[in-house]
PDB file of all heavy atoms in Angstrom:
ATOM      1  N   HIS A 120      -0.337  -4.207   3.715  1.00 98.00           N
ATOM      2  CA  HIS A 120       0.835  -5.096   3.732  1.00 98.00           C
ATOM      3  C   HIS A 120       1.609  -5.041   5.050  1.00 98.00           C
ATOM      4  O   HIS A 120       2.578  -5.787   5.216  1.00 98.00           O
ATOM      5  CB  HIS A 120       1.763  -4.811   2.554  1.00 98.00           C
ATOM      6  CG  HIS A 120       2.135  -3.376   2.367  1.00 98.00           C
ATOM      7  ND1 HIS A 120       2.163  -2.774   1.135  1.00 98.00           N
ATOM      8  CD2 HIS A 120       2.495  -2.418   3.257  1.00 98.00           C
ATOM      9  CE1 HIS A 120       2.539  -1.518   1.267  1.00 98.00           C
ATOM     10  NE2 HIS A 120       2.750  -1.277   2.542  1.00 98.00           N
ATOM     11  N   HIS A 148       4.059  -4.826  -4.492  1.00 97.00           N
ATOM     12  CA  HIS A 148       3.902  -5.880  -5.497  1.00 97.00           C
ATOM     13  C   HIS A 148       4.664  -7.134  -5.065  1.00 97.00           C
ATOM     14  O   HIS A 148       5.823  -7.048  -4.657  1.00 97.00           O
ATOM     15  CB  HIS A 148       4.419  -5.402  -6.849  1.00 97.00           C
ATOM     16  CG  HIS A 148       3.906  -6.201  -8.000  1.00 97.00           C
ATOM     17  ND1 HIS A 148       4.277  -7.518  -8.209  1.00 97.00           N
ATOM     18  CD2 HIS A 148       3.039  -5.897  -8.990  1.00 97.00           C
ATOM     19  CE1 HIS A 148       3.659  -7.977  -9.282  1.00 97.00           C
ATOM     20  NE2 HIS A 148       2.903  -7.010  -9.782  1.00 97.00           N
ATOM     21  N   PRO A 149       4.039  -8.293  -5.156  1.00 95.00           N
ATOM     22  CA  PRO A 149       4.713  -9.536  -4.739  1.00 95.00           C
ATOM     23  C   PRO A 149       6.025  -9.808  -5.467  1.00 95.00           C
ATOM     24  O   PRO A 149       6.957 -10.362  -4.875  1.00 95.00           O
ATOM     25  CB  PRO A 149       3.681 -10.618  -5.056  1.00 95.00           C
ATOM     26  CG  PRO A 149       2.368  -9.923  -5.059  1.00 95.00           C
ATOM     27  CD  PRO A 149       2.635  -8.544  -5.552  1.00 95.00           C
ATOM     28  N   PHE A 152       9.182  -7.982  -3.808  1.00 87.00           N
ATOM     29  CA  PHE A 152       9.738  -8.519  -2.577  1.00 87.00           C
ATOM     30  C   PHE A 152       9.915 -10.036  -2.617  1.00 87.00           C
ATOM     31  O   PHE A 152      10.253 -10.649  -1.611  1.00 87.00           O
ATOM     32  CB  PHE A 152       8.907  -8.078  -1.383  1.00 87.00           C
ATOM     33  CG  PHE A 152       9.131  -6.633  -1.046  1.00 87.00           C
ATOM     34  CD1 PHE A 152       8.255  -5.659  -1.482  1.00 87.00           C
ATOM     35  CD2 PHE A 152      10.251  -6.241  -0.335  1.00 87.00           C
ATOM     36  CE1 PHE A 152       8.479  -4.323  -1.194  1.00 87.00           C
ATOM     37  CE2 PHE A 152      10.489  -4.911  -0.046  1.00 87.00           C
ATOM     38  CZ  PHE A 152       9.600  -3.947  -0.480  1.00 87.00           C
ATOM     39  N   ALA A 153       9.713 -10.628  -3.784  1.00 92.00           N
ATOM     40  CA  ALA A 153      10.099 -12.022  -3.983  1.00 92.00           C
ATOM     41  C   ALA A 153      11.584 -12.123  -4.305  1.00 92.00           C
ATOM     42  O   ALA A 153      12.163 -13.205  -4.274  1.00 92.00           O
ATOM     43  CB  ALA A 153       9.291 -12.635  -5.116  1.00 92.00           C
ATOM     44  N   ASP A 183      12.056 -15.969  -3.850  1.00 94.00           N
ATOM     45  CA  ASP A 183      10.933 -16.839  -3.476  1.00 94.00           C
ATOM     46  C   ASP A 183       9.636 -16.056  -3.621  1.00 94.00           C
ATOM     47  O   ASP A 183       9.317 -15.202  -2.801  1.00 94.00           O
ATOM     48  CB  ASP A 183      11.107 -17.320  -2.037  1.00 94.00           C
ATOM     49  CG  ASP A 183      10.045 -18.333  -1.633  1.00 94.00           C
ATOM     50  OD1 ASP A 183       9.096 -18.552  -2.407  1.00 94.00           O
ATOM     51  OD2 ASP A 183      10.155 -18.891  -0.524  1.00 94.00           O
ATOM     52  N   TYR A 184       8.902 -16.341  -4.676  1.00 95.00           N
ATOM     53  CA  TYR A 184       7.615 -15.687  -4.915  1.00 95.00           C
ATOM     54  C   TYR A 184       6.475 -16.405  -4.199  1.00 95.00           C
ATOM     55  O   TYR A 184       5.530 -15.771  -3.730  1.00 95.00           O
ATOM     56  CB  TYR A 184       7.332 -15.645  -6.419  1.00 95.00           C
ATOM     57  CG  TYR A 184       5.946 -15.160  -6.772  1.00 95.00           C
ATOM     58  CD1 TYR A 184       5.666 -13.800  -6.865  1.00 95.00           C
ATOM     59  CD2 TYR A 184       4.909 -16.058  -7.020  1.00 95.00           C
ATOM     60  CE1 TYR A 184       4.393 -13.344  -7.182  1.00 95.00           C
ATOM     61  CE2 TYR A 184       3.641 -15.630  -7.344  1.00 95.00           C
ATOM     62  CZ  TYR A 184       3.380 -14.268  -7.423  1.00 95.00           C
ATOM     63  OH  TYR A 184       2.110 -13.833  -7.739  1.00 95.00           O
ATOM     64  N   MET A 185       6.541 -17.707  -4.090  1.00 96.00           N
ATOM     65  CA  MET A 185       5.404 -18.497  -3.662  1.00 96.00           C
ATOM     66  C   MET A 185       5.178 -18.503  -2.156  1.00 96.00           C
ATOM     67  O   MET A 185       4.051 -18.705  -1.695  1.00 96.00           O
ATOM     68  CB  MET A 185       5.574 -19.942  -4.135  1.00 96.00           C
ATOM     69  CG  MET A 185       5.601 -20.093  -5.642  1.00 96.00           C
ATOM     70  SD  MET A 185       4.114 -19.442  -6.457  1.00 96.00           S
ATOM     71  CE  MET A 185       2.897 -20.606  -5.860  1.00 96.00           C
ATOM     72  N   THR A 186       6.217 -18.276  -1.373  1.00 95.00           N
ATOM     73  CA  THR A 186       6.104 -18.378   0.081  1.00 95.00           C
ATOM     74  C   THR A 186       5.753 -17.025   0.695  1.00 95.00           C
ATOM     75  O   THR A 186       6.449 -16.036   0.445  1.00 95.00           O
ATOM     76  CB  THR A 186       7.414 -18.895   0.698  1.00 95.00           C
ATOM     77  OG1 THR A 186       7.736 -20.155   0.104  1.00 95.00           O
ATOM     78  CG2 THR A 186       7.278 -19.056   2.202  1.00 95.00           C
ATOM     79  N   LYS A 187       4.717 -16.993   1.484  1.00 95.00           N
ATOM     80  CA  LYS A 187       4.406 -15.790   2.258  1.00 95.00           C
ATOM     81  C   LYS A 187       5.561 -15.519   3.209  1.00 95.00           C
ATOM     82  O   LYS A 187       6.031 -16.422   3.908  1.00 95.00           O
ATOM     83  CB  LYS A 187       3.120 -16.024   3.051  1.00 95.00           C
ATOM     84  CG  LYS A 187       2.717 -14.894   3.987  1.00 95.00           C
ATOM     85  CD  LYS A 187       1.441 -15.285   4.709  1.00 95.00           C
ATOM     86  CE  LYS A 187       1.034 -14.261   5.725  1.00 95.00           C
ATOM     87  NZ  LYS A 187      -0.224 -14.637   6.417  1.00 95.00           N
ATOM     88  N   LYS A 188       6.056 -14.273   3.221  1.00 93.00           N
ATOM     89  CA  LYS A 188       7.219 -14.024   4.058  1.00 93.00           C
ATOM     90  C   LYS A 188       7.220 -12.634   4.670  1.00 93.00           C
ATOM     91  O   LYS A 188       6.640 -11.686   4.140  1.00 93.00           O
ATOM     92  CB  LYS A 188       8.506 -14.251   3.277  1.00 93.00           C
ATOM     93  CG  LYS A 188       8.799 -13.235   2.197  1.00 93.00           C
ATOM     94  CD  LYS A 188      10.153 -13.533   1.550  1.00 93.00           C
ATOM     95  CE  LYS A 188      10.479 -12.519   0.461  1.00 93.00           C
ATOM     96  NZ  LYS A 188      11.782 -12.779  -0.171  1.00 93.00           N
ATOM     97  N   LYS A 189       7.896 -12.544   5.792  1.00 94.00           N
ATOM     98  CA  LYS A 189       8.081 -11.297   6.516  1.00 94.00           C
ATOM     99  C   LYS A 189       9.291 -10.572   5.950  1.00 94.00           C
ATOM    100  O   LYS A 189      10.351 -11.168   5.768  1.00 94.00           O
ATOM    101  CB  LYS A 189       8.287 -11.605   7.997  1.00 94.00           C
ATOM    102  CG  LYS A 189       8.438 -10.411   8.905  1.00 94.00           C
ATOM    103  CD  LYS A 189       8.626 -10.892  10.342  1.00 94.00           C
ATOM    104  CE  LYS A 189       8.738  -9.744  11.319  1.00 94.00           C
ATOM    105  NZ  LYS A 189       8.951 -10.225  12.708  1.00 94.00           N
ATOM    106  N   VAL A 190       9.120  -9.286   5.674  1.00 92.00           N
ATOM    107  CA  VAL A 190      10.219  -8.468   5.161  1.00 92.00           C
ATOM    108  C   VAL A 190      10.561  -7.429   6.217  1.00 92.00           C
ATOM    109  O   VAL A 190       9.833  -6.456   6.425  1.00 92.00           O
ATOM    110  CB  VAL A 190       9.851  -7.783   3.836  1.00 92.00           C
ATOM    111  CG1 VAL A 190      11.023  -6.940   3.323  1.00 92.00           C
ATOM    112  CG2 VAL A 190       9.424  -8.807   2.795  1.00 92.00           C
ATOM    113  N   ILE A 201       6.967  -5.391   6.639  1.00 96.00           N
ATOM    114  CA  ILE A 201       5.824  -5.683   5.771  1.00 96.00           C
ATOM    115  C   ILE A 201       5.766  -7.190   5.530  1.00 96.00           C
ATOM    116  O   ILE A 201       6.710  -7.923   5.851  1.00 96.00           O
ATOM    117  CB  ILE A 201       5.911  -4.935   4.431  1.00 96.00           C
ATOM    118  CG1 ILE A 201       7.102  -5.442   3.609  1.00 96.00           C
ATOM    119  CG2 ILE A 201       5.980  -3.433   4.621  1.00 96.00           C
ATOM    120  CD1 ILE A 201       7.054  -5.024   2.161  1.00 96.00           C
ATOM    121  N   TRP A 202       4.649  -7.624   4.949  1.00 96.00           N
ATOM    122  CA  TRP A 202       4.463  -9.037   4.616  1.00 96.00           C
ATOM    123  C   TRP A 202       4.236  -9.172   3.118  1.00 96.00           C
ATOM    124  O   TRP A 202       3.414  -8.470   2.547  1.00 96.00           O
ATOM    125  CB  TRP A 202       3.290  -9.620   5.400  1.00 96.00           C
ATOM    126  CG  TRP A 202       3.633  -9.796   6.850  1.00 96.00           C
ATOM    127  CD1 TRP A 202       3.516  -8.866   7.843  1.00 96.00           C
ATOM    128  CD2 TRP A 202       4.192 -10.964   7.457  1.00 96.00           C
ATOM    129  NE1 TRP A 202       3.967  -9.382   9.034  1.00 96.00           N
ATOM    130  CE2 TRP A 202       4.385 -10.663   8.827  1.00 96.00           C
ATOM    131  CE3 TRP A 202       4.542 -12.223   6.974  1.00 96.00           C
ATOM    132  CZ2 TRP A 202       4.910 -11.595   9.722  1.00 96.00           C
ATOM    133  CZ3 TRP A 202       5.067 -13.146   7.858  1.00 96.00           C
ATOM    134  CH2 TRP A 202       5.247 -12.828   9.214  1.00 96.00           C
ATOM    135  N   GLN A 203       4.979 -10.077   2.515  1.00 95.00           N
ATOM    136  CA  GLN A 203       4.876 -10.330   1.092  1.00 95.00           C
ATOM    137  C   GLN A 203       4.010 -11.562   0.850  1.00 95.00           C
ATOM    138  O   GLN A 203       4.296 -12.647   1.376  1.00 95.00           O
ATOM    139  CB  GLN A 203       6.250 -10.531   0.468  1.00 95.00           C
ATOM    140  CG  GLN A 203       6.212 -10.880  -1.025  1.00 95.00           C
ATOM    141  CD  GLN A 203       6.738 -12.266  -1.323  1.00 95.00           C
ATOM    142  OE1 GLN A 203       7.757 -12.685  -0.789  1.00 95.00           O
ATOM    143  NE2 GLN A 203       6.027 -12.993  -2.168  1.00 95.00           N
ATOM    144  N   LEU A 204       2.948 -11.394   0.068  1.00 97.00           N
ATOM    145  CA  LEU A 204       2.074 -12.491  -0.342  1.00 97.00           C
ATOM    146  C   LEU A 204       2.096 -12.588  -1.858  1.00 97.00           C
ATOM    147  O   LEU A 204       2.275 -11.573  -2.550  1.00 97.00           O
ATOM    148  CB  LEU A 204       0.637 -12.266   0.122  1.00 97.00           C
ATOM    149  CG  LEU A 204       0.258 -12.527   1.587  1.00 97.00           C
ATOM    150  CD1 LEU A 204       0.931 -11.531   2.524  1.00 97.00           C
ATOM    151  CD2 LEU A 204      -1.258 -12.444   1.754  1.00 97.00           C
ATOM    152  N   SER A 205       1.875 -13.764  -2.373  1.00 97.00           N
ATOM    153  CA  SER A 205       1.737 -13.919  -3.818  1.00 97.00           C
ATOM    154  C   SER A 205       0.380 -13.376  -4.247  1.00 97.00           C
ATOM    155  O   SER A 205      -0.523 -13.162  -3.421  1.00 97.00           O
ATOM    156  CB  SER A 205       1.839 -15.392  -4.205  1.00 97.00           C
ATOM    157  OG  SER A 205       0.694 -16.103  -3.758  1.00 97.00           O
ATOM    158  N   GLN A 208      -2.303 -15.739  -3.119  1.00 97.00           N
ATOM    159  CA  GLN A 208      -2.623 -15.627  -1.693  1.00 97.00           C
ATOM    160  C   GLN A 208      -3.458 -14.379  -1.407  1.00 97.00           C
ATOM    161  O   GLN A 208      -4.385 -14.409  -0.600  1.00 97.00           O
ATOM    162  CB  GLN A 208      -1.333 -15.612  -0.886  1.00 97.00           C
ATOM    163  CG  GLN A 208      -0.612 -16.949  -0.880  1.00 97.00           C
ATOM    164  CD  GLN A 208       0.836 -16.848  -0.445  1.00 97.00           C
ATOM    165  OE1 GLN A 208       1.430 -15.772  -0.400  1.00 97.00           O
ATOM    166  NE2 GLN A 208       1.440 -17.987  -0.128  1.00 97.00           N
TER     167      GLN A 208
END
Side-chain angles (χ1 to χ4, degrees):
H120 50 223
H148 199 292
F152 286 98
D183 185 352
Y184 172 84
M185 297 302 293
T186 303
K187 176 181 176 179
K188 70 177 180 180
K189 182 180 182 181
V190 180
I201 66 165
W202 288 87
Q203 177 245 316
L204 283 67
S205 70
Q208 290 163 345

